[in-house]
């Protein structure tokens, strides 16, 4: 982290000392967005704020926004309406950051309709939050701290993690793929990877602190260090790491870490070395999240996904033949412009054939500035919804069958903590990311346990220690 920011943390901490100040943070996006919120929380707590869920008692409210679909944006405007009264009553500081702030039309809308905010900051200026806050505390009126360029990779930010068994670690920022429906490349900038030594250093510390499961994060994790390799940029190799496959192998050797997951890989970048690393590394979970988006080769082409239906299915087949017990989850968009009934049937066909553990389903949402938004053959809302429901029905029927197949099997489960809905029960996940609840002593928390699955429900299984 840059020294001046560390100094500003100290300055704000001095101003705030002894005041018993509180902050809330509203995290509205994906796991990278959550990871950013953990960093923001780390910074903010160093400045003597303690966390609260209660917006009314907060002295500082931070929104970490998402803009991947329209409903994510609507949530911000709804909440802003709610916090306005706190600003008026007690002068609560309102800061809005994250992906949505990289969209110019949104910042304009905020200034027009919600002018009471204090700070807006973007995805490349998160680390400057202490400096922005210091200026507000020194009576500056309003700050817009947004950069259009690709931010540098900033290391050494304090972090306050939400969990003490599972941790996520960002390995790369940005995206170069420009799928035609997607806003992410515009708001997160170009691909840039963290250095192997920084990533491994962070994971070794997590292992020392008792963390058991690591999720590697990036918009396109299996192209880790690709840009750097292609541009012949020199980077420091560390423990033999110069690609995603070698990174998996190096993390697999870290004592204390029991499980490694990663999201999201791109099917087009799934090279054999990565498939072999997944096979060889005993700690890497065999559930692969493999975003499909559409099963139709025509739609995939317009989406700029760079694979066909057959290539996707062949990749699944290759992984099934190489990695014992491999399972799959996916993301699917329904109602992309020009999607015909025949195209949609192809999506259903792939879902039938792959038989995913889990499908994250989305209705296509037009995003300003993306090619998809300019396409003329948009699909009417009622057709999108009708297709979404058909897909959902198919997925749920497959999951119901799958859940039954789990009953009677033995599963290795990482026990994560007490169940949120029932204090008497513990909860954990299988390798395939299925939630399992069980009755057991609390000292099992943080351990891997072999459980016999005794019953199934739509969204969780029940297990018993054997
Ligand atoms: N980089 C990741 C995740 C991107 S965002 C990946 O490529 O998989 C997460 C998911 O949101 C995407 O996989 C896609 O299914 C969905 N999504 C992205 N843009 C969307 C849009 N405009 N409308 C609906 N869903 C969208
Ligand atoms: Fe968006 Fe495609 Fe990049 Fe994923 S790979 S973030 S869907 S542009
Ligand atoms: Fe994530 Fe939403 Fe940004 S999905 S990358 S927080 S637009």
């Amino acid at each position: 982290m840059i020294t001046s920011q560390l100094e500003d943390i100290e300055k704000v901490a001095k101003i705030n000392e002894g005041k018993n100040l509180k902050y809330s943070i509203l995290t509205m996006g994906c796991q990278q967005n959550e990871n950013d919120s953990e960093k923001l929380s780390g910074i903010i707590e160093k400045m003597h704020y303690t966390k609260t869920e209660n917006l009314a008692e907060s002295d500082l409210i931070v929104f970490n926004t998402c803009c991947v679909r329209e409903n994510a944006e609507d949530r911000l405007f709804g909440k802003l309406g709610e916090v306005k009264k706190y600003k008026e009553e007690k002068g609560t500081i309102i800061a809005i950051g994250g992906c949505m702030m990289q969209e110019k039309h949104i910042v304009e809308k905020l200034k027009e309709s919600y002018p009471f905010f204090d700070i807006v900051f973007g995805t490349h200026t998160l680390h400057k939050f202490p400096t922005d806050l210091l200026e507000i505390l020194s009576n500056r009126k309003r700050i817009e701290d947004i950069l259009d360029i690709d931010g540098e990779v900033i290391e050494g930010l304090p972090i306050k993690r939400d969990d003490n068994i599972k941790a996520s670690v960002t390995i790369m920022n940005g995206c170069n793929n420009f799928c035609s429906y997607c806003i992410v490349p515009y708001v997160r900038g170009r691909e840039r990877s963290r250095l192997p030594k920084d990533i491994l250093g962070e994971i070794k510390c997590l292992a020392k602190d008792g963390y058991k499961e690591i999720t590697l994060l990036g918009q396109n994790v299996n192209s880790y260090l690709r840009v750097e390799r292609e541009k012949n940029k020199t980077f420091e190799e560390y423990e033999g790491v110069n690609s995603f496959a070698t990174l998996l192998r190096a993390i697999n050797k870290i004592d204390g870490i029991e499980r490694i997951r990663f999201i999201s890989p791109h099917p087009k970048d799934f090279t054999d070395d990565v498939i072999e690393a997944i096979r060889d590394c005993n700690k890497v979970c065999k559930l692969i999240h493999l975003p499909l988006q559409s099963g139709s080769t025509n739609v995939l082409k317009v989406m700029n996904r760079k694979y066909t239906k057959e290539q996707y299915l062949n990749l699944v087949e290759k992984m099934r033949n190489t990695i014992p017990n491999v399972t799959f989850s996916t993301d699917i968009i329904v109602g992309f412009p020009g999607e015909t009934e025949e195209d949609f049937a192809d999506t259903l066909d792939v879902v039938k054939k792959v038989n995913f553990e889990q499908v994250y389903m989305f209705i296509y949402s037009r995003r300003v500035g993306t090619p998809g938004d300019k396409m003329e053959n948009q699909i009417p809302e009622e057709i999108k919804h009708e297709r979404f429901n058909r897909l959902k029905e198919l997925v749920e029927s497959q999951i119901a069958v799958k859940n039954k197949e789990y009953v009677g099997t033995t599963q290795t489960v990482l026990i994560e903590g007490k169940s949120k809905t029932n204090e008497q029960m513990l909860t954990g996940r299988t390798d395939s990311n299925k939630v399992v609840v069980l009755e057991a002593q609390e000292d099992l928390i943080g351990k891997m346990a072999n459980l016999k699955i005794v019953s199934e429900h739509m969204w969780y299984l029940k297990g018993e220690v054997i």
Side-chain angles (χ1 to χ4, degrees):
M1 195 170 174
I2 300 156
T3 338
S4 68
Q5 256 86 61
L6 291 173
E7 283 168 14
D8 289 342
I9 289 183
E10 290 298 318
K11 284 184 197 157
V12 179
K14 252 206 191 98
I15 297 173
N16 287 345
E17 208 166 359
K19 290 190 183 160
N20 191 23
L21 299 175
K22 298 210 162 60
Y23 79 100
S24 326
I25 185 159
L26 291 95
T27 306
M28 301 171 144
C30 61
Q31 280 182 284
Q32 281 210 307
N33 183 261
E34 286 173 13
N35 192 234
D36 285 344
S37 281
E38 291 184 328
K39 289 173 188 150
L40 278 165
S41 297
I43 296 173
I44 293 169
E45 296 198 4
K46 285 235 178 312
M47 298 189 289
H48 291 315
Y49 290 91
T50 49
K51 199 174 207 158
T52 172
E53 303 291 320
N54 183 352
L55 295 178
E57 65 169 14
S58 299
D59 301 281
L60 165 67
I61 298 176
V62 183
F63 293 88
N64 194 7
T65 62
C66 169
C67 54
V68 78
R69 285 171 292 274
E70 192 176 356
N71 53 7
E73 294 189 343
D74 293 343
R75 279 183 58 211
L76 172 71
F77 296 124
K79 273 282 169 203
L80 276 177
E82 190 186 325
V83 301
K84 187 177 178 204
K85 59 174 182 289
Y86 305 132
K87 172 85 202 177
E88 287 165 353
E89 284 165 13
K90 56 179 274 193
T92 308
I93 297 172
I94 311 288
I96 316 171
C99 291
M100 206 174 154
M101 297 306 107
Q102 296 290 139
E103 296 184 290
K104 289 200 175 66
H105 69 281
I106 295 287
V107 177
E108 287 311 311
K109 180 170 172 178
L110 284 178
K111 286 198 279 196
E112 220 163 85
S113 312
Y114 304 85
F116 54 87
F117 70 82
D118 296 284
I119 305 171
V120 297
F121 60 101
T123 54
H124 308 301
T125 42
L126 178 147
H127 62 287
K128 286 176 62 205
F129 189 71
T131 310
D132 297 336
L133 186 61
L134 181 63
E135 293 218 13
I136 290 296
L137 292 172
S138 324
N139 293 323
R140 253 271 311 262
K141 272 232 142 39
R142 199 163 78 189
I143 293 178
E144 285 173 51
D145 189 5
I146 296 158
L147 278 178
D148 252 347
I149 52 150
D150 301 332
E152 310 154 53
V153 178
I154 307 279
E155 294 295 341
L157 294 183
I159 184 158
K160 170 79 189 337
R161 295 188 180 270
D162 294 334
D163 194 282
N164 49 17
I165 291 162
K166 303 198 291 184
S168 47
V169 174
T170 298
I171 64 167
M172 63 187 310
N173 297 313
C175 180
N176 287 359
N177 290 322
F178 291 94
C179 302
S180 60
Y181 50 82
C182 185
I183 191 82
V184 171
Y186 304 90
V187 297
R188 286 266 175 186
R190 295 294 67 70
E191 262 178 47
R192 51 220 186 271
S193 294
R194 285 179 72 198
L195 287 175
K197 106 170 153 1
D198 293 325
I199 296 170
L200 292 172
E202 181 175 348
I203 298 175
K204 284 175 191 168
C205 281
L206 287 165
K208 267 201 204 99
D209 290 343
Y211 284 88
K212 302 292 177 209
E213 182 175 307
I214 300 296
T215 301
L216 305 174
L217 299 181
Q219 295 303 341
N220 190 2
V221 283
N222 51 350
S223 70
Y224 174 66
L225 285 176
R226 185 189 57 192
V227 177
E228 287 76 2
R229 282 197 308 273
E230 283 174 359
K231 288 194 178 153
N232 282 327
K233 268 196 191 167
T234 44
F235 58 87
E236 197 185 334
E237 275 192 33
Y238 186 78
E239 297 183 5
V241 176
N242 57 12
S243 64
F244 187 59
T246 47
L247 180 67
L248 287 179
R249 289 182 190 274
I251 300 170
N252 198 59
K253 290 189 195 131
I254 299 177
D255 282 340
I257 299 300
E258 308 254 12
R259 269 187 175 169
I260 305 160
R261 299 186 188 272
F262 53 88
I263 47 166
S264 289
H266 195 300
K268 78 175 163 56
D269 296 312
F270 235 112
T271 44
D272 288 349
D273 60 336
V274 176
I275 299 176
E276 284 156 17
I278 298 169
R279 177 197 60 198
D280 297 343
C281 294
N282 63 323
K283 297 176 184 174
V284 174
C285 290
K286 306 309 178 212
L287 171 80
I288 314 290
H289 184 68
L290 196 64
L292 170 67
Q293 311 303 359
S294 168
S296 153
T297 297
N298 293 334
V299 173
L300 286 168
K301 192 162 186 355
V302 188
M303 284 180 163
N304 193 28
R305 290 291 290 176
K306 302 199 169 76
Y307 53 86
T308 63
K309 175 185 181 185
E310 286 67 34
Q311 284 168 332
Y312 185 94
L313 288 171
N314 288 342
L315 178 61
V316 166
E317 205 42 44
K318 192 199 288 185
M319 290 200 241
R320 286 209 161 119
N321 291 334
T322 315
I323 308 167
N325 300 319
V326 70
T327 54
F328 297 93
S329 62
T330 201
D331 288 354
I332 293 176
I333 298 175
V334 295
F336 182 76
E339 183 188 73
T340 63
E341 195 45 42
E342 217 182 345
D343 293 322
F344 180 63
D346 273 326
T347 298
L348 296 178
D349 186 47
V350 176
V351 171
K352 276 186 203 134
K353 287 190 168 124
V354 180
N355 199 4
F356 296 101
E357 290 293 310
Q358 206 167 358
V359 181
Y360 301 90
M361 295 167 265
F362 306 106
I363 290 177
Y364 172 69
S365 169
R366 295 173 77 160
R367 304 287 72 208
V368 175
T370 62
D373 185 43
K374 298 186 193 83
M375 292 176 190
E376 276 164 17
N377 42 6
Q378 302 288 329
I379 305 292
E381 284 304 313
E382 62 275 15
I383 295 184
K384 287 194 215 172
H385 280 90
E386 185 261 337
R387 287 184 187 158
F388 181 89
N389 289 338
R390 273 153 67 200
L391 174 62
K392 186 162 169 267
E393 235 166 74
L394 170 62
V395 168
E396 287 180 358
S397 70
Q398 285 183 316
I399 291 180
V401 173
K402 228 176 231 296
N403 284 347
K404 290 205 174 71
E405 290 168 1
Y406 273 98
V407 178
T409 63
T410 301
Q411 300 287 328
T412 308
V413 172
L414 172 62
I415 310 295
E416 294 169 9
K418 286 187 185 170
S419 158
K420 285 205 180 82
T421 46
N422 182 349
E423 280 275 298
Q424 311 302 318
M425 308 285 278
L426 301 183
T427 173
R429 281 172 192 264
T430 63
D431 182 284
S432 58
N433 214 26
K434 275 263 170 210
V435 175
V436 184
V437 298
L438 67 153
E439 276 171 67
Q441 300 293 330
E442 273 181 42
D443 58 7
L444 213 57
I445 295 173
K447 300 207 170 86
M448 299 282 264
N450 282 329
L451 303 184
K452 185 166 179 149
I453 304 303
V454 291
S455 65
E456 47 89 20
H457 307 261
M458 191 68 199
W459 301 118
Y460 67 95
L461 305 171
K462 209 165 166 231
E464 280 173 6
V465 182
I466 41 178

